[in-house]
Amino acid sequence: MSMPPNPNPNPNLYQDIDYLGSASGFIDEVFETLNKEVLFDEFYHYEIEELCQFMHCFSAPDGAVLLQEGEEGDHLLVILSGKVVVRKSDLSGRTHSIAMVGSGS
């Protein structure tokens, strides 16, 4: 009897974002991306493979909001491809783009 694919761990977290499945299906992409970052640059492929068993992959459309300032959370986001604009509201409520981050951020 085969097991169904690992279901979305929290279906209410990102309702408008496509769940792609366990990161175990993206091991090479995750390894290549994380291995460039200082925190993970000394990890071996098998260690990233183990880490992927606890990770999930999503695909977000342009304009999707991933995090809101002040929200509580218990997860880490790693961008494998594409770019994310970081925005912050000033005291008058105007929103400003303060950074653009990409793969590995």
Side-chain angles (χ1 to χ4, degrees), residues 37-81:
E37 297 303 312
V38 174
L39 181 62
F40 298 100
D41 67 344
E42 294 187 21
F43 277 48
Y44 292 103
H45 193 276
Y46 76 89
E47 292 170 314
I48 296 294
E49 190 172 339
E50 291 290 322
L51 183 61
C52 282
Q53 292 181 32
F54 302 95
M55 298 170 61
H56 299 272
C57 290
F58 298 84
S59 176
D62 287 345
V65 175
L66 302 178
L67 299 171
Q68 294 269 15
E69 185 175 7
E71 280 183 339
E72 290 189 27
D74 62 353
H75 56 281
L76 167 72
L77 301 178
V78 177
I79 302 166
L80 294 181
S81 65

Side-chain angles (χ1 to χ4, degrees), residues 2-61:
S2 65
M3 296 283 292
N6 193 2
N8 184 345
N10 188 346
N12 297 320
L13 182 61
Y14 293 122
Q15 296 176 356
D16 299 329
I17 296 176
D18 293 331
Y19 178 64
L20 301 177
S22 170
S24 295
F26 301 88
I27 292 169
D28 291 334
E29 293 93 333
V30 173
F31 177 76
E32 187 170 318
T33 300
L34 291 183
N35 203 249
K36 295 176 190 173
E37 297 303 312
V38 174
L39 181 62
F40 298 100
D41 67 344
E42 294 187 21
F43 277 48
Y44 292 103
H45 193 276
Y46 76 89
E47 292 170 314
I48 296 294
E49 190 172 339
E50 291 290 322
L51 183 61
C52 282
Q53 292 181 32
F54 302 95
M55 298 170 61
H56 299 272
C57 290
F58 298 84
S59 176

